[in-house]
Structures are given as structure tokens and as C-alpha cells.
Amino acid sequence: MEIDWSVVITYMPQLLQGAKTTIYITILGLVGGLVLGSIAGLMRAYGGRILNAIAFVYIELIRGTPIVVQVMFLYFALPVLADIRIDPMGAAVLSIVVNAGAYIAEIVRGAFLSIGKGLSEAGLALGLPRWKVLVYIVGPLAFRRLIPPLGNQFIVSLKDTSLFIVIGVAELTRTGQEIMASNFRAVEIWTAVAVLYLIMTGALTLLLRVVEKRMKIL
Amino acid sequence: MSIIEFHKTSKAFGPLTVLDEVDLSIDAGEVVVLVGPSGSGKSTLLRCINALETITGGDLIVDGLSVKGNARQLREIRQEAGMVFQQFNLFPQLTALKNVAFGPRQVRHLSQSEAESVARDLLKKVGLEDKADHLPSELSGGQQQRVAIARALAVKPKVMLFDEPTSALDPELKHEVLSVMQQLAEEGMTMVVVTHEMAFAKKVGSRLIFMEHGKIAVDGNPRDVIDNPPNDRMKDFLHHVE
Ligand SMILES: Nc1ncnc2c1ncn2[C@@H]1O[C@H](COP(=O)(O)OP(=O)(O)OP(=O)(O)O)[C@@H](O)[C@H]1O
Ligand SMILES: [Mg+2]
């Protein structure tokens, strides 16, 4: 069979539509994951025994199971268990939220705890309440240390969206597969899909480099 | 009038008793130098005064407030008892000026410009007005520690606590920090200073306390007890630090 790159152009609008869905799921999922992960991470770092235990169980549950199983659970098992029905798109976004949230929680915890105790004590010794010490002193320092590992997690989550092929979400990988099924142009289509992923992850990497450069790690 | 009163104050970390029913009262204007072997509880005693450590027995009154009070009272105590740490602990993301302005801004609720004008005056007082816009990483250890002293003073405390403020400094930088401390003492600031600088203790201290195993073993006039240590362990100790 001859390789014919013109099919890529023919199917590009469809592939771009898939890429758009991938980006959409990633962004919504990561925004939610950042919120959930920050809360869980701070619970781990500063919560009392109970908050800490709740966050710990959540994180270990998620880190200990594959994301495909998590999305299958949300999409197929939750309706049976709790009569909660979500569409594939919702399940996909929620999976990223819950999955990325667990990894981000560990990143957040690590970054906050890496800031020396002496700085918090210096803040407390001035007569500041603990929350102000976290917001004005530890937070800004921890934030700078968050960026590199967060960048990694963003890239992992973006690629994880390809697993939602299992619940039929029309993201980029699924789109590639559908096109494949109709024309069997494996080399051309999968090359195009791979390149589109590389462009997305590349753009993300570049963006993070810029942010990292602008914020010196102290 | 006493500004700090220990009443049979104890502090234990689990099974380890670090302060053992300490009785001590410190008057306004005193400069108390605290010495003793490593692990004798000097830092812990200091940190109990501003409630960075929670006492486990007895009571401790600072400027009329018990360190066993609620969170708001503890913050009040900390505003009255400024602290200077061995490792400076300056906020690394803030310039010298902003480090010093931080307390008045956040704790005393001055406006940013008022806080910075307070900070500028204090930087001048410690001889660093030309370093206002430098980050801590751009300052020498001695300069950092002087900024840290200014930062603590900016909240207008009644007492200053120093935990080995010159131990992390090269010998030639100790002097600049010690002279700022001497100036403070001469202005009448109440100070509790953990240090191994015996010359400073003799020159500036009004009282010297030698601690041992969580207890006060010697309490007297610095010149008297340094020249004639009242017990052998203190004699040994002085021998080691000199
Ligand atoms: N947070 C803590 N947890 C457990 N033990 C502690 C803690 N802080 C201090 N200790 C112990 O309490 C004892 C007294 O410590 P402290 O730091 O008060 O001594 P120090 O006189 O300041 O000694 P140094 O001269 O070495 O600074 C030591 O045995 C120390 O190991
Ligand atoms: Mg100590």
C-alpha cells in the first residue's frame, strides 16, 4: 500500500475537532484537579488527624488504580451503585479532575512542606495568624516550587485523555481510530495524531518554561 | 515590674523533660544572657516565651498574658516579644525593606507607605539604608541578621529574644550584629539573649543565667559569675566556649 499524505489534509478538520475535545477535557479537568488537589494537599500538610486521613485515603485510592478503571467506574458502575448517570464527556472530565487531583495533592503537599519551618516560625513570631503565614509567606514560595512538577502532571493528564476512547468520547485518539476504521490509512492517520499530541504537549512545555523563567525559585 | 514571669514552668517533648519547673522573673530593661551546654534547654526556654513551644507544666506570663491563652492572646504576646533566629529566616522573596515592612503592614495594619517608612527608619538604625532594595540572598550573613533584627523591631515589641544570633556568622561579621544589639540594650530594650559571646555578656548583659538539664543553675551579675564561676560545671563550660 502506498503512503498518501493527502488523506491527512482531507481528515484534518475532523482531527482538529478531536484535538479540540482533548484540550477541552484537559483544561476543565485540570482546573478542577488543581482545586481538588490543592485542598487535598493542604489537608495532608496541615489538616488534623481526620482531614489528613480522608485526603490520604483518596490519594492512595486513586494512585493505586489505573485511570481506565477509574473512568469505567464513574461511567458504568456509578449509575448502578448510586443511580447517578453522567454522559461520557462528564465522566471524562471528572476522571481527570479526580485522577490529576490525587497527584497534584502530593505535589502541593511536597512543595509546602519543602519550605523550611524557620520561615513559618519567623512569620508566627511577628504575631501573624497561621493562615496569613500560609498565604503570604509559605504559599508564594511553595508556588514557585510547584510549577515544574505541575507541568509534568499537566502533560500526563493531557495524554491520559486518550484513554477515554474506552467510553467513546470523541477526543483525538478516538477520532483517529474512527477515521482509520473507514479508510485503513494507519501510517498517515496515526502519524498525524501523534504530531497533534506533540504540538499540544510542546505548547504546554513552552508555556511552563516561560512561567518558570519569570519566577525564580527561591 | 516583671515583664516575663516563669512560674514552675515545665516543657517536655514526649518523655524528655527539657524545662524542669523553672522559676524566673525578668524585669523591663534587663538584658539577660542565657548560656549553658548544648541541649540544656536554652532555645526551648526562649521559644516558650513567645509560645513557639507550648509549655506542658506551670505557667508563663508575658506582659500580663499567659502563654496558655487562646490564639489571639498568643498573637498579642508574639507582638510584644520579637524574636531573632540563628538562621535569620528572612523571607527570601522579599527585599530587605519589604521584610521589615511586612510586620507593621500585616500585624499592626499600617498602610504600605507607612509601613515602608517605619522600615526605612529601622534599616537606617541598623546601618543598612542603602540595602533596602536588596533581596536577602544578595546580603552577607551579618547584613541579613541586622535586617532580621529590624524586622522584629518593626512590630514595636517590648522584649527582644535572640537565639544565638551570631552563631551562623563568620567571626568578622559577628561584631556588626553585636553592636546593633548593644545599641538596643543602651536604649533600654528588654532583651533575653542566648549566646556564647562572653565578652558581650560582660559588656552588655545585666544578668547572666547558666542553664543545666532544664534548670537554672546560676543566676547572677555577668561580670561576677564569668570571672568567678560559682560551680565547676559552669567553669568547665566557660572553659569550652573561650
Ligand atoms: N521539637 C522537639 N522535639 C523533641 N525534642 C526536642 C525538640 N526541640 C528540642 N528538643 C530537645 O530538647 C532538648 C533541649 O533543646 P534546646 O534546643 O532547648 O537546647 P539548647 O540549650 O538550645 O541547645 P543548643 O545549644 O544545642 O542550641 C534537647 O535534648 C533537644 O533534643
Ligand atoms: Mg539552642
Side-chain angles (χ1 to χ4, degrees):
Chain A
M1 194 161 140
E2 242 171 68
I3 292 179
D4 174 10
W5 293 108
S6 71
V7 299
V8 170
I9 296 176
T10 312
Y11 289 104
M12 193 43 84
Q14 242 172 296
L15 289 172
L16 286 178
Q17 191 56 42
K20 227 168 105 183
T21 306
T22 293
I23 292 171
Y24 179 74
I25 298 171
T26 307
I27 290 178
L28 281 186
L30 285 177
V31 168
L34 270 175
V35 173
L36 182 62
S38 302
I39 294 170
L42 292 176
M43 279 164 71
R44 283 282 281 142
Y46 303 105
R49 195 168 299 192
I50 295 170
L51 290 181
N52 195 318
I54 294 171
F56 178 79
V57 169
Y58 155 62
I59 292 164
E60 292 309 316
L61 222 69
I62 297 303
R63 293 205 307 175
T65 52
I67 186 167
V68 175
V69 174
Q70 290 159 18
V71 69
M72 293 292 221
F73 187 90
L74 284 175
Y75 189 59
F76 294 112
L78 218 52
V80 180
L81 275 180
D83 204 24
I84 299 171
R85 201 161 289 283
I86 29 179
D87 61 357
M89 199 59 186
V93 170
L94 196 58
S95 297
I96 295 292
V97 170
V98 170
N99 184 273
Y103 290 94
I104 290 172
E106 284 297 281
I107 294 170
V108 167
R109 179 177 83 108
F112 273 75
L113 293 185
S114 76
I115 305 302
K117 208 171 117 232
L119 290 180
S120 316
E121 286 188 345
L124 289 175
L126 290 174
L128 248 59
R130 193 166 280 280
W131 71 267
K132 274 197 177 180
V133 172
L134 283 183
V135 170
Y136 292 106
I137 299 168
V138 184
L141 290 171
F143 186 73
R144 295 156 206 254
R145 297 189 188 185
L146 279 176
I147 294 167
L150 269 187
N152 278 332
Q153 183 55 44
F154 287 5
I155 287 169
V156 168
S157 290
L158 187 141
K159 292 189 296 178
D160 277 351
T161 59
S162 69
L163 298 165
F164 300 142
I165 198 170
V166 297
I167 54 168
V169 175
E171 41 66 51
L172 180 55
T173 303
R174 171 86 182 190
T175 308
Q177 203 200 24
E178 277 168 4
I179 296 169
M180 257 284 299
S182 66
N183 71 4
F184 305 105
R185 290 284 176 182
V187 175
E188 296 87 339
I189 297 301
W190 289 121
T191 303
V193 167
V195 168
L196 285 174
Y197 274 114
L198 277 170
I199 291 171
M200 291 190 282
T201 53
L204 196 51
T205 306
L206 225 62
L207 183 76
L208 287 158
R209 281 275 155 74
V210 172
V211 177
E212 221 174 301
K213 276 244 174 69
R214 296 187 54 173
M215 284 209 176
K216 242 190 336 185
I217 295 195
L218 297 165
Chain B
M1 199 202 89
S2 295
I3 189 159
I4 299 171
E5 293 169 39
F6 287 74
H7 296 290
K8 296 213 175 316
T9 310
S10 295
K11 169 66 186 177
F13 293 103
L16 178 71
T17 298
V18 177
L19 291 184
D20 191 2
E21 303 200 348
V22 171
D23 275 311
L24 168 66
S25 83
I26 295 171
D27 291 342
E30 279 193 282
V31 177
V32 179
V33 176
L34 205 56
V35 301
S38 179
S40 56
K42 307 178 296 292
S43 296
T44 304
L45 185 140
L46 212 58
R47 291 162 57 85
C48 284
I49 296 174
N50 70 352
L52 282 183
E53 301 290 355
T54 312
I55 66 172
T56 50
D59 204 353
L60 170 49
I61 311 292
V62 181
D63 196 30
L65 291 167
S66 167
V67 296
K68 298 196 290 191
N70 62 29
R72 195 180 51 77
Q73 289 165 328
L74 296 195
R75 289 205 297 277
E76 245 169 84
I77 287 177
R78 288 172 181 155
Q79 290 168 26
E80 300 311 329
M83 185 151 199
V84 175
F85 301 86
Q86 184 176 347
Q87 299 299 336
F88 330 134
N89 294 341
L90 290 179
F91 307 132
Q93 74 274 37
L94 303 181
T95 61
L97 185 75
K98 294 225 157 81
N99 261 281
V100 182
F102 187 81
R105 176 88 190 89
Q106 294 298 335
V107 177
R108 299 293 191 199
H109 306 292
L110 301 188
S111 71
Q112 186 63 33
S113 64
E114 286 171 323
E116 288 190 5
S117 116
V118 168
R120 228 171 264 286
D121 288 347
L122 283 166
L123 283 179
K124 190 178 224 171
K125 184 185 170 96
V126 299
L128 289 172
E129 64 268 49
D130 55 330
K131 301 288 183 195
D133 297 324
H134 286 57
L135 288 172
S137 57
E138 300 162 345
L139 299 174
S140 75
Q143 292 169 337
Q144 288 188 54
Q145 193 61 298
R146 284 185 282 153
V147 174
I149 293 172
R151 175 179 67 178
L153 289 172
V155 183
K156 303 222 179 306
K158 292 185 181 151
V159 182
M160 285 284 284
L161 312 171
F162 295 83
D163 194 356
E164 303 201 30
T166 58
S167 295
L169 299 177
D170 294 337
E172 71 272 20
L173 299 180
K174 289 178 196 288
H175 168 76
E176 62 189 51
V177 171
L178 291 172
S179 69
V180 167
M181 291 169 62
Q182 177 170 1
Q183 184 195 341
L184 262 184
E186 282 161 3
E187 290 167 7
M189 176 62 80
T190 310
M191 297 168 44
V192 186
V193 186
V194 177
T195 184
H196 298 302
E197 302 295 325
M198 289 306 140
F200 174 86
K202 276 200 212 175
K203 191 163 64 174
V204 181
S206 63
R207 187 171 171 189
L208 187 128
I209 288 175
F210 175 71
M211 284 189 72
E212 225 185 352
H213 305 304
K215 286 182 186 294
I216 293 174
V218 174
D219 180 352
N221 179 291
R223 283 158 292 277
D224 297 347
V225 295
I226 291 172
D227 292 338
N228 300 298
N231 73 38
D232 288 346
R233 282 152 342 254
M234 182 162 170
K235 200 181 285 176
D236 275 355
F237 171 79
L238 290 175
H239 196 73
H240 281 294
V241 296
E242 264 151 33

